[in-house]
């Protein structure tokens, strides 16, 4: 909106329609409140400033914004300064309520409903105004949730991945936060124990509570009022360190309720990063990896075993440190046994499968890539190494392992360009494949003979994932049943 304090030319109109109605509404209410305090009628004030009552009525209702000469005349007639009229604060609680309702009715959400706005007058009760405002806020909330479509989520995810690529997936502020947490509890080295993570929680003012009735849609729940962190007593891995640290990340990183899906994703990335940075401290992890690089024996298994973490966390943590601290550009991927790419990161130029918007997650991985060929190997207890020649650009080497989750089997893979494989264990592998993807003839298109034989005869029923046609989970924290969470907290507070 044009500033009310801007100097205007003599030829400018005396008033104009405000662009958003925000400051004009507050100014109008201040003029009205002051006029009533002085016992003046609208007609008396109009006469004092030589304007029609209808013009002043429009100003008081926030439908017109006075130019500076008229604003000065109004201030003089009301016995106040121009600055007093321009204070961006409602003159009373009632005025603040009226302004909020007027702003709501003039907004795009209210307008999209096709409802005729009500005229706010002295006769309109506070309860009526509060009801209208409450309904508007709820409709606006539903609109925000509806805006979190799968397309918006994928766009936000693609933007976040691009940012991570530029940063080399290394965030010094999170590294410092992790170091400070460990220093605060006297950590001196070695694998970070369960007791150490419990001490970190206690240092931050929180006690740990393991319960059997965790809300089904949550991994953990923080009760900030009573200083508690609730975790499931039936953790699949029997290792609560990572869940505790992810929960504490919201406090350490100063997370507030996410206002968008992009912010929700960023908070998840930060929580996972902080957990990894605490469980594999930068100094110790870099020392381990630098020694392994010197010996040309970098291994995700050794990193996992040295710090007592999962293979996936070790692989994630390696990508945090590889570029910034070891001078290696790498890629990481997690793929479901169906071939769907679940997570992906790269700064080594590998061309992941993607959609038209450049989003990796949800795309199908080539059957000839390490992340897929590992599923056909009989030995699931040893790492699988493979070179893959990409017609789209260069040769890459990958090491991969299979892990099990409730959704099925997943492969977790880490890879580098051919010229960097000299630093890794497994570089002598004889296993090699060739990928022509995204050409469908590589692995998605059946042979001419099979197509001719079965094209007209086959009629398969797709095992469509239930999430394929579903909308993105809604809510402040997507997918979380807030009613269930609040009832859970209430129950546990009463029983303590």
């Amino acid at each position: 909106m044009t500033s009310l304090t801007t100097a205007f030319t003599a030829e400018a109109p005396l008033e104009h329609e405000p662009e958003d109605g925000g400051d004009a509404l507050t100014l109008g209410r201040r003029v009205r409140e002051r006029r009533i305090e002085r016992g003046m009628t609208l007609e008396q004030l109009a006469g004092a400033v030589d304007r029609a009552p209808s013009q002043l009525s429009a100003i008081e209702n926030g439908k017109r914004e006075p130019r500076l000469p008229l604003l000065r005349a109004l201030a003089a007639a009301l016995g106040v300064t121009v600055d007093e009229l321009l204070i961006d604060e409602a003159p009373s609680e009632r005025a603040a309520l009226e302004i909020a309702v007027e702003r709501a009715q003039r907004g795009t959400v209210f307008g999209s409903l096709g409802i005729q706005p009500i005229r706010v007058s002295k006769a309109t009760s506070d309860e009526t105004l509060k009801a209208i405002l409450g309904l508007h806020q709820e409709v606006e909330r539903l609109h925000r949730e509806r805006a979190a479509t799968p397309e918006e989520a994928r766009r936000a995810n693609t933007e976040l991945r691009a940012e991570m690529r530029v940063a080399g997936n290394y965030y010094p502020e999170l590294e410092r936060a992790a170091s400070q947490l460990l220093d605060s509890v006297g950590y001196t080295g070695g694998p970070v124990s369960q007791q150490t993570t419990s001490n970190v929680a206690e240092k931050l003012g929180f006690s740990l509570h393991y319960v059997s009735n965790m809300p089904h849609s949550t991994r953990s729940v923080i009760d900030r009022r009573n200083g508690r962190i609730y975790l499931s007593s039936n953790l699949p891995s029997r290792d609560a360190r990572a869940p505790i640290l992810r929960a504490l990340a919201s406090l350490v990183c100063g997370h507030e309720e996410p206002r968008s899906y992009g912010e929700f994703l960023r908070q998840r990335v930060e929580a996972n990063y902080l957990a990894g940075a605490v469980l594999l401290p930068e100094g110790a992890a870099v020392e381990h990896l630098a020694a392994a690089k010197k010996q040309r024996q970098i291994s995700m298994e050794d990193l996992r075993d040295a710090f007592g973490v999962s293979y996936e966390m070790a692989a994630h943590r390696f990508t945090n440190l590889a570029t910034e601290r070891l001078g290696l550009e790498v890629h990481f991927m997690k793929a479901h046994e169906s071939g769907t790419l679940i997570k992906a990161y790269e700064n080594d130029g590998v061309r992941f499968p993607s959609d038209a918007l450049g989003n990796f997650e949800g795309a199908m991985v080539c059957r000839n890539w390490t992340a897929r060929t590992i599923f056909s190997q009989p030995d699931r207890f040893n790492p699988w190494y493979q070179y893959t020649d990409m017609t789209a650009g260069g040769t890459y080497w990958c090491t991969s392992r299979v892990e099990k989750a409730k959704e099925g089997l997943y492969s977790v893979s880490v890879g580098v360009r051919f010229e960097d494989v000299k630093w890794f264990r497994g570089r002598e592998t004889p296993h090699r494949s060739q990928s022509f993807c995204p050409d469908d003839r590589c692995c998605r298109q059946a042979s001419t003979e099979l197509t001719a034989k079965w094209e007209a005869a086959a009629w398969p029923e797709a095992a469509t994932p239930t999430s394929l046609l579903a909308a993105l989970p809604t809510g402040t924290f997507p997918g979380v049943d807030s009613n269930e969470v609040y009832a859970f907290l209430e129950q546990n507070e009463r029983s303590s």
Side-chain angles (χ1 to χ4, degrees):
M1 184 171 65
T2 304
S3 172
L4 290 171
T5 57
T6 302
F8 299 103
T9 63
E11 293 76 23
L14 295 179
E15 58 265 347
H16 65 99
E17 293 189 7
E19 294 176 15
D20 60 19
D23 292 341
L25 280 168
T26 304
L27 170 63
R29 290 308 189 280
R30 298 194 77 82
V31 170
R32 177 183 295 168
E33 291 273 332
R34 183 60 179 166
R35 174 176 62 78
I36 293 173
E37 285 176 4
R38 291 179 66 85
M40 298 177 71
T41 64
L42 188 64
E43 289 74 14
Q44 288 172 330
L45 179 59
V49 297
D50 194 24
R51 294 290 182 271
S54 59
Q55 287 181 293
L56 291 195
S57 177
I59 290 171
E60 289 190 354
N61 289 321
K63 296 178 179 179
R64 290 289 186 274
E65 180 181 322
R67 296 294 191 184
L68 191 56
L70 178 54
L71 188 61
R72 287 172 176 159
L74 285 170
L78 295 171
V80 295
T81 66
V82 170
D83 286 343
E84 287 178 286
L85 289 181
L86 291 177
I87 294 174
D88 190 19
E89 181 181 330
S92 64
E93 289 186 13
R94 167 70 184 196
L97 187 57
E98 291 180 359
I99 290 170
V101 171
E102 287 286 3
R103 283 176 175 164
Q105 292 189 132
R106 297 179 189 186
T108 55
V109 172
F110 196 99
S112 68
L113 300 176
I115 300 174
Q116 188 69 23
I118 68 164
R119 181 177 177 274
V120 178
S121 66
K122 289 189 294 185
T124 309
S125 68
D126 286 3
E127 289 71 26
T128 299
L129 295 179
K130 289 177 182 177
I132 293 172
L133 188 59
L135 287 171
H136 173 266
Q137 290 170 341
E138 178 62 14
V139 172
E140 192 172 47
R141 183 186 68 81
L142 293 173
H143 270 259
R144 286 198 305 268
E145 290 183 355
R146 193 178 302 166
T149 60
E151 290 77 15
E152 189 269 345
R154 291 163 75 85
R155 178 193 56 76
N157 191 47
T158 300
E159 291 176 355
L160 183 58
R161 297 299 176 197
E163 177 189 304
M164 292 166 66
R165 186 183 193 279
V166 171
N169 204 21
Y170 178 83
Y171 293 92
E173 63 277 12
L174 293 175
E175 299 288 352
R176 287 193 294 271
S179 178
Q180 289 167 3
L181 288 177
L182 290 171
D183 290 344
S184 71
V185 295
Y187 167 80
T188 56
V192 176
S193 66
Q194 173 75 38
Q195 184 61 55
T196 299
T197 55
S198 298
N199 292 345
V200 168
E202 183 179 356
K203 196 74 175 179
L204 293 174
F206 285 81
S207 57
L208 304 178
H209 299 261
Y210 297 90
V211 296
S212 59
N213 63 333
M214 280 291 293
H216 76 283
S217 59
T218 64
R219 293 177 178 175
S220 66
V221 175
I222 291 184
D223 178 354
R224 295 188 177 185
R225 175 181 291 116
N226 297 297
R228 299 174 182 174
I229 297 177
Y230 292 101
L231 300 132
S232 174
S233 57
N234 300 311
L235 288 169
S237 64
R238 300 182 182 274
D239 184 352
R241 294 176 302 162
I244 291 170
L245 292 167
R246 285 196 297 265
L248 291 172
S250 66
L251 306 168
V252 176
C253 298
H255 291 163
E256 299 294 338
E257 290 186 359
R259 293 166 293 182
S260 66
Y261 198 79
E263 191 171 336
F264 168 73
L265 288 177
R266 183 179 300 278
Q267 290 181 3
R268 288 189 61 178
V269 167
E270 291 177 350
N272 286 324
Y273 193 112
L274 185 70
V278 170
L279 294 179
L280 294 92
E282 182 176 17
V286 170
E287 183 180 358
H288 171 92
L289 289 169
K293 183 182 180 185
K294 186 176 181 180
Q295 297 170 6
R296 302 189 176 217
Q297 289 291 315
I298 295 177
S299 163
M300 299 305 109
E301 286 77 13
D302 286 357
L303 186 62
R304 172 200 63 189
D305 296 342
F307 293 91
V309 297
S310 69
Y311 182 88
E312 183 176 350
M313 177 169 280
H316 263 301
R317 188 65 176 136
F318 175 71
T319 67
N320 298 149
L321 303 171
T323 303
E324 181 71 18
R325 301 304 303 274
L326 302 175
L328 296 173
E329 295 180 335
V330 299
H331 67 265
F332 165 94
M333 62 181 131
K334 180 178 181 179
H336 186 257
E337 58 185 326
S338 64
T340 305
L341 191 58
I342 306 300
K343 295 180 183 178
Y345 164 79
E346 64 81 22
N347 69 347
D348 61 359
V350 71
R351 293 184 61 180
F352 287 128
S354 66
D355 60 18
L357 299 177
N359 189 69
F360 301 150
E361 286 78 356
M364 294 298 293
V365 177
C366 175
R367 295 176 187 273
N368 298 320
W369 283 20
T370 315
R372 294 287 299 276
T373 60
I374 189 174
F375 288 111
S376 62
Q377 306 311 314
D379 185 355
R380 295 287 177 84
F381 296 98
N382 284 310
W384 172 249
Y385 306 117
Q386 177 182 303
Y387 289 97
T388 306
D389 299 317
M390 312 278 199
T391 56
T395 295
Y396 289 84
W397 171 92
C398 281
T399 175
S400 187
R401 287 191 71 94
V402 171
E403 294 195 329
K404 189 174 183 180
K406 62 181 180 180
E407 299 87 358
L409 297 178
Y410 291 89
S411 67
V412 177
S413 308
V414 172
V416 293
R417 290 184 294 253
F418 180 81
E419 52 266 35
D420 288 325
V421 71
K422 59 188 176 184
W423 308 112
F424 290 80
R425 182 182 303 162
R427 59 187 176 276
E428 303 89 355
T429 180
H431 304 123
R432 199 177 194 108
S433 69
Q434 192 169 21
S435 172
F436 298 98
C437 281
D439 187 336
D440 284 347
R441 291 172 294 179
C442 175
C443 64
R444 295 183 178 86
Q445 192 177 90
S447 67
T448 304
E449 293 77 15
L450 288 178
T451 301
K453 180 177 180 179
W454 292 107
E455 187 174 26
W459 188 266
E461 179 184 359
T464 307
T466 55
S467 60
L468 182 63
L469 301 178
L472 189 74
T474 58
T476 300
F477 299 93
V480 172
D481 185 337
S482 59
N483 181 41
E484 183 183 27
V485 170
Y486 300 156
F488 164 81
L489 290 173
E490 181 69 15
Q491 177 186 351
N492 281 276
E493 183 178 60
R494 289 177 176 175
S495 62
S496 60

